[in-house]
C-alpha cells in the first residue's frame, strides 16, 4: 500500500529515504556490498531475522525503489528486478518448475522465450505445449496432469492479437495453475494482469519502462510465496539488476503514465490515418474498430498500446524498400522508445522461421511493425506516407 492514491503520484513520489546530504533526486548506490554495524547485525541479516542489504546480488536500494514502484503500479504483493527481460522470463519459470513439469504457452511469444521452451528447458525435462492465441477453445484440452504454469503475452508481438485475461485467469484458477503474463507491451498503465488472476507478471523493462532505449532490464512481480522462491533463485544464480540500471529505471517510471498515454494517442492517430491507405493491404491496432478483438481490447486495456502494424502491398521486397525509404524513423531491433521505430519481421527478427510458422503467428511478408514514439505525430506520419509513396 502506498500513502498516495494515484499511480502518477506513486510513480513519482515513492522514493528511498534521504541520505545525510539532503539530496532531492535519489542517489545511486554503486556498491557491491553493505557494511555491518556489528557481529550481531550481520548474524541477524544472514538469518533473515531483520530486513536489510547485504550484497548487491541479493538487493540494493536503487533496485528496491524501482521494484516498490512497479509493485504499486501492477498491484502485486512483491517483486524482484532482473538484469534483462529474458532473465525475468527465465527466472520466473526456472525458479518454480521442476523436471517433469509442463507449461502451456501461447504460441505468439517473444523469440527468446520460444528458444527457452524449445532449446533449453527440454535439457532439464521441462516440457511445453503451444496453444493458439486466436483460438481459446484450443487451450483447455492441452492442459495435462503435469501442467504447472500457463504463459502468455497480450497484445502479442508482432501480431497484436489479444488474449482474454479474465478468461485465462479463470482457466488457471479452475486447474490450479500458475498464470504468468509477460506484460511488456501493455505495461501496468494499460492493463494490470493481477486483477484478472495472474500470479506472476513478467517484464522487459528495456522497452516502455525505460522508454528511451538506454538500458536492458526486467522484473518479476506477483504473489508473495512465488516471489519468495524467485528471489531465492535470483539471489543464488545471479541474474540481478545493476544499481545504475535500477536507478535509471526507477527514474523512468516517474514518466511512464504520461509517456504511455502519449505513445498510445500518437499510435491511434497514425492507425486511423493509415487505415484504408491505397498502398496498404491492412492496418492493425487494438483500438481500431476493425481489429477482430476491438471489444476485448476496450474491456481489458486502458489505451490501445504503442505499437501498430500494417501490411504493405507488394510483400517482402516492398517491405524492404519501404524501410530503405524512411528518413526519420529508426531502423533498429527495439521497441517502446521515445523515437519511432520501424521493423520488418520477415526479413529480420523472424527470418529464420518457415513461411508456415510465420503465418501461424500472424506475420505476412509485407508486415511492418511501428513502435510509435513521442515525436510530433505529423512528423511521424509524414515520414511513413513519404516512404510508402517512394517505395511503390
Ligand atoms: C524484449 C522483450 C523481451 C525480452 O526482454 P530483454 O529485456 O530484451 O531481455 C521479452 N518479452 C517481450 C514481449 C519483449 O518485447
Amino acid at each position: 500500500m502506498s500513502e498516495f492514491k494515484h499511480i502518477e503520484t506513486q510513480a513519482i513520489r515513492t522514493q528511498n529515504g534521504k541520505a545525510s546530504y539532503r539530496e532531492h533526486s535519489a542517489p545511486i548506490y554503486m556498491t557491491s556490498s553493505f557494511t555491518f554495524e556489528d557481529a550481531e547485525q550481520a548474524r541477524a541479516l544472514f538469518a533473515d531475522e531483520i530486513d536489510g542489504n547485504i550484497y548487491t546480488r541479493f538487493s540494493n536500494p536503487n533496485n528496491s525503489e524501482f521494484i516498490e514502484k512497479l509493485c504499486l503500479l501492477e498491484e502485486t504483493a512483491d517483486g524482484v528486478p532482473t538484469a534483462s527481460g529474458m532473465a525475468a522470463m527465465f527466472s520466473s519459470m526456472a525458479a518454480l518448475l521442476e523436471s517433469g513439469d509442463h507449461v502451456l504457452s501461447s504460441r505468439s511469444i517473444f523469440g527468446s522465450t520460444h528458444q527457452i521452451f524449445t532449446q533449453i528447458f527440454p535439457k532439464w525435462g521441462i516440457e511445453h505445449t503451444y496453444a493458439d492465441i486466436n483460438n481459446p477453445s484450443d487451450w483447455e484440452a492441452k492442459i495435462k496432469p503435469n501442467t504447472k504454469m500457463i504463459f502468455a503475452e497480450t497484445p502479442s508481438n508482432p501480431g497484436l492479437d489479444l488474449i482474454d485475461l479474465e478468461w485465462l485467469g479463470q482457466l488457471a484458477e479452475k486447474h490450479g495453475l500458475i498464470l504468468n503474463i509477460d506484460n511488456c507491451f501493455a505495461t501496468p498503465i494499460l492493463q494490470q494482469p493481477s486483477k484478472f488472476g495472474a500470479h506472476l507478471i513478467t517484464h522487459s523493462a528495456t522497452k516502455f519502462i525505460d522508454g528511451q532505449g538506454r538500458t536492458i532490464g526486467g522484473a518479476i512481480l506477483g504473489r508473495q510465496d512465488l516471489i519468495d522462491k524467485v528471489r531465492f533463485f535470483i539471489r543464488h544464480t545471479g541474474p540481478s539488476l545493476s544499481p545504475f540500471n535500477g536507478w535509471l529505471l526507477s527514474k523512468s517510471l516517474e514518466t511512464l503514465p504520461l509517456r504511455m498515454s502519449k505513445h498510445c494517442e500518437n499510435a491511434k492517430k497514425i492507425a486511423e490515418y493509415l487505415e484504408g491507405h491505397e498502398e496498404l493491404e491492412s492496418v492493425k491496432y487494438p483500438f481500431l474498430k476493425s481489429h477482430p478483438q476491438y471489444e476485448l481490447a476496450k474491456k481489458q486495456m486502458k489505451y490501445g498500446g504503442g505499437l501498430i502494424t500494417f501490411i504493405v502491398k507488394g510483400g517482402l521486397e516492398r517491405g524492404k524498400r519501404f524501410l530503405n525509404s524512411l528518413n526519420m524513423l529508426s531502423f533498429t531491433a527495439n521497441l517502446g522508445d521515445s523515437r519511432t521505430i520501424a521493423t520488418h519481421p520477415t526479413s529480420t527478427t523472424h527470418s529464420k522461421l518457415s513461411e508456415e510458422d510465420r503465418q501461424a503467428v500472424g506475420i505476412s511478408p509485407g508486415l511492418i511493425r511501428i513502435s510509435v514514439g513521442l515525436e510530433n505525430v505529423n512528423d511521424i506520419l509524414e515520414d511513413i506516407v513519404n516512404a510508402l509513396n517512394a517505395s511503390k
Side-chain angles (χ1 to χ4, degrees), residues 13 15-27 29 65:
R13 288 286 167 182
Q15 191 170 331
N16 287 330
K18 281 191 181 59
S20 56
Y21 298 102
R22 294 176 285 102
E23 74 283 348
H24 187 213
S25 175
Y29 293 92
E65 185 187 282

Side-chain angles (χ1 to χ4, degrees), residues 83-89 109-113 151 153 155-157 182-185 202-207 215-218 333-335 369:
S84 68
M86 286 324 301
M89 303 310 145
I109 50 169
F110 189 71
S112 292
T113 314
F151 183 86
E153 289 171 25
S156 68
N157 174 31
D182 178 342
N183 202 28
C184 164
F185 264 42
T202 35
H203 274 287
S204 167
T206 313
K207 312 296 168 54
T215 187
I216 302 286
N334 195 18
L335 63 95
R369 186 190 75 188

Side-chain angles (χ1 to χ4, degrees), residues 350-384:
H350 293 71
S351 60
K352 290 200 184 73
L353 267 65
S354 68
E355 186 56 39
E356 198 186 7
D357 286 348
R358 272 196 295 268
Q359 288 294 349
V361 289
I363 303 172
S364 67
L367 183 89
I368 303 287
R369 186 190 75 188
I370 307 281
S371 169
V372 178
L374 304 176
E375 303 98 334
N376 185 294
V377 68
N378 296 317
D379 291 334
I380 305 171
L381 258 176
E382 189 178 306
D383 200 28
I384 293 174

